[in-house]
Amino acid sequence: MKLMKLGTRPDSFFTSGPVRSVHTEVATDLQIQVDRSLFRLHKFPLLSKCQLLQALCADTDAVELRGFPGGADAFEACAKFCYGVAITVGAHNVVPLRCAAGRLGMTEAADRGNLAAKLDSFLASCLLRRWRDALAVLRSAGRCNALAAECEDLGVTSRCVEAVAMLITTDPAAAAAAGGNAALAARACSSSSSSSSPWWARDVSDLRVDLFWRVMVAVKAAGTVKGRAVGDALRTYARRWLPTVSRSGYLVVEQTDIISTADEGSFDFDVVARNSQLLVERMVSLLPAERNAAPCSFFLKLLKAANVLGASPASKAELTRRAALQLEDANVSDLLIPSCASETTLYDVDAVMAILEELALRQAAAGVPEASPPHARGHRRSRSAESSEFEGARRSTSAAASHGAMVRIGRLVDGFLMEVAKDPNLPLEKLIAIAEAVPDCARPEHDHLYRAVDTYLRVHPEMDKGSRKKLCRVLNCRKLSETASMHAAQNELLPLRVVVQVLFFENARAAAAALSGPGANNGRVAGVAGGVRALLAKSRREADGEEAAKNEQRLRRGIAAAAPGPDDGNDWSVEGLKRAASRISTLRMKLEEDEDADADADDEAFVHRARAGLVRSASARVRALCDCASAIPAGKPKRMLSRLWPSSSCRDGH
């Protein structure tokens, strides 16, 4: 740290209680009250250098300086300078001394070589050229609210901000070496050659919110610092000063000195909340334009704080947009945004829905066209054709990367649904909206989605039959794994129609797999069918009304007939498969009769969605079983399966 010494006389000032004076042979003739200290001094040395005292002491020998910047210590240092007593100036006291000299009017107009000019020269030539000193001066300028206004009027704060920003944007090693700190120079070189945070991020995190914002604005305006470095600096600052938002929606404040309004550091939660809100909005305005300048978890962390602190809608919209751009990199815990006090749900599902809607808009706007078709063989390709093929390959690679990102997003959303489904106050419509916001290509399997549905059904046992059907329409039984299918087949909370669909697809998979390995899947089909029979028996006992019991009894007889019995559980010959196909056809006819007898608005919507590609009705599931024949590889197994399910019956079923 650089120091400057002013004056040559020995210190002759003394303190006696609240009185401060100077040892001289001449009696004092001036009394100045500063805060709780009374200074007894002489008019001549003070009035010759202070324009303010010249005006105040024209008709009196006693004055009071209220709200003096820097207090009694700063005034005593100015008085010592007037007497020629030696004082030491450094980064720790240059700001209060400069503000005191400015208040007293110790300028060149009062006397040549006055204190204000010497301090300005010391700042410009020495302190603001060194990293540590420049930061210390800037922190001192923003530490006290009383000094902040004086520093702004004198231009000290602006000069310090420009100096710090210039040192950041210049060569880091040179800036650190200019500060005379070899360790800092080594840290600057190592951070500039690695992927860690920039060498200056930790140092500027000590600044107040407004000063940090001004420094970062100046750094971004220079255009020489990369967006990732700016993002790392914002993350470092937020990690230190932004209150943590708990899952219950409360603020956990660990640092308060940066946002305290009182000089003694008193704590006021309302002040903390207002300054934290200001911090979030300022950081949102500083976000770099580059896509990967900051991780998605950082944007969602800011969004949580903005949601709890009541930040501006513009800040929330920007954070929503940035989170949607990198949603595939987020975790489930990042999406658990606590809801506002006015909401009854645990988490803000609407905020996540807004992110997914923004993601859908981005996907629609950035639709990747298909690759160019291959050229015919035997023709020489021109350069333009080769360029087109290269462009098509590049787009295909981009499309594959985009598909992988969408799959990660699908898993993320399903994990989020598994968490929010535990909320007893979550409306069914919001759960369905979140589930349907993800495209079908993003879910290669529906196991996690099934767990979310099962959790919601268990948390809401009072749901009626229509609501259960509506919820289960988000499931695609084709995409359930063997474990999930076995669980669904024995799940008493699912509608019977969904259970029947699961059974059909399990039977279809088992029949198709039996052609390649007959003895490996017998237990799976028998287990699923047995689970369904147990479910139907329990449902029959709990059903209200004779008609419902008759319908379930017919379904039970049909499924029992379709399931393999103990005698033919190992019969995977052609004749055995023919018998299984005959039973499934009989069951399909019974289900169609039940549909005609129990058709309602929900069933019509069910069939309508089946035509759109998400087959929902039980009869459609049986007809889909016939389509499995086309999925068998060419050869003898396909010919054997075609004998069991002729193509004409498939067409008739459609």
Side-chain angles (χ1 to χ4, degrees), residues 171 192 262 303-304 350 399 407 452 477 487 490 514 517 562 574 577 603 606:
D171 181 61
S192 61
L303 185 58
K304 290 180 182 180
D350 294 334
V407 171
C477 297
H487 185 277
Q490 305 177 46
V574 175
L577 291 176
D603 293 330
F606 219 71

Side-chain angles (χ1 to χ4, degrees), residues 168-169 192 194 198 200 216 219-220 222-233 286 288-290 292-293:
I168 291 176
T169 55
S192 61
S194 64
W200 46 269
M216 297 306 299
V219 169
K220 292 183 64 179
T224 58
V225 178
K226 296 181 179 180
R228 182 177 291 273
V230 175
D232 290 341
L286 292 173
E290 292 83 351
N292 293 319

Side-chain angles (χ1 to χ4, degrees), residues 546-563:
E546 181 178 359
E547 186 64 25
K550 290 181 179 180
N551 293 338
E552 292 181 6
Q553 185 64 25
R554 288 198 300 269
L555 286 175
R556 182 181 181 279
R557 289 197 302 267
I559 294 176

Side-chain angles (χ1 to χ4, degrees), residues 148-168:
E150 295 284 344
C151 291
E152 289 292 346
D153 295 339
L154 297 173
V156 175
T157 305
S158 300
R159 282 184 286 169
C160 292
V161 168
E162 294 173 358
V164 171
M166 183 189 67
L167 291 174
I168 291 176

Side-chain angles (χ1 to χ4, degrees), residues 351-365:
V352 179
M353 189 64 197
I355 295 175
L356 294 177
E357 290 175 352
E358 183 68 27
L359 175 66
L361 292 176
R362 179 173 65 88
Q363 291 290 328

Side-chain angles (χ1 to χ4, degrees), residues 397-607:
T397 304
S398 177
S402 177
H403 176 69
M406 289 304 300
V407 171
R408 292 194 297 270
I409 292 175
R411 294 174 182 172
L412 173 67
V413 174
D414 289 347
F416 172 76
L417 289 174
M418 292 169 59
E419 291 293 331
V420 298
K422 304 174 184 177
D423 185 3
N425 296 323
L426 180 66
L428 176 63
E429 291 74 13
K430 291 189 176 182
L431 183 72
I432 295 177
I434 293 291
E436 293 180 345
V438 179
D440 188 65
C441 63
R443 287 193 180 103
E445 52 92 20
H446 277 211
D447 284 13
H448 295 293
L449 183 59
Y450 167 72
R451 293 180 185 176
V453 171
D454 178 60
T455 302
Y456 192 84
L457 290 175
R458 295 182 186 279
V459 176
H460 301 79
E462 72 284 354
M463 291 179 60
D464 55 11
K465 180 179 179 182
S467 299
R468 293 173 185 270
K469 285 185 177 181
K470 185 177 181 181
L471 174 60
C472 292
R473 286 172 188 168
V474 301
L475 290 174
N476 186 351
C477 297
R478 293 176 181 268
K479 296 185 177 182
L480 292 179
S481 65
E482 178 182 352
T483 303
S485 298
M486 293 292 293
H487 185 277
Q490 305 177 46
N491 194 339
E492 301 178 358
L493 300 175
L494 295 178
L496 292 178
R497 196 177 303 277
V498 177
V499 176
V500 172
Q501 293 170 16
V502 174
L503 173 65
F504 282 147
F505 285 114
E506 275 300 297
N507 285 338
R509 280 198 290 260
L515 297 178
S516 57
N521 297 278
N522 301 346
R524 179 174 63 179
V525 178
V528 174
V532 176
R533 288 197 299 269
L535 172 62
L536 293 179
K538 181 176 179 59
S539 300
R540 183 179 60 80
R541 291 193 302 267
E542 298 175 353
D544 295 332
E546 181 178 359
E547 186 64 25
K550 290 181 179 180
N551 293 338
E552 292 181 6
Q553 185 64 25
R554 288 198 300 269
L555 286 175
R556 182 181 181 279
R557 289 197 302 267
I559 294 176
D567 297 334
D568 56 359
N570 297 322
D571 188 6
W572 293 100
S573 62
V574 175
E575 296 298 330
L577 291 176
K578 284 184 178 180
R579 289 194 297 270
S582 177
R583 293 168 183 173
I584 292 176
S585 300
T586 303
L587 179 56
R588 181 180 63 182
M589 296 174 60
K590 291 181 177 294
L591 288 174
E592 290 176 350
E593 293 175 359
D594 292 338
E595 286 180 349
D596 295 337
D598 191 26
D600 51 12
D602 291 338
D603 293 330
E604 292 177 2
F606 219 71
V607 175

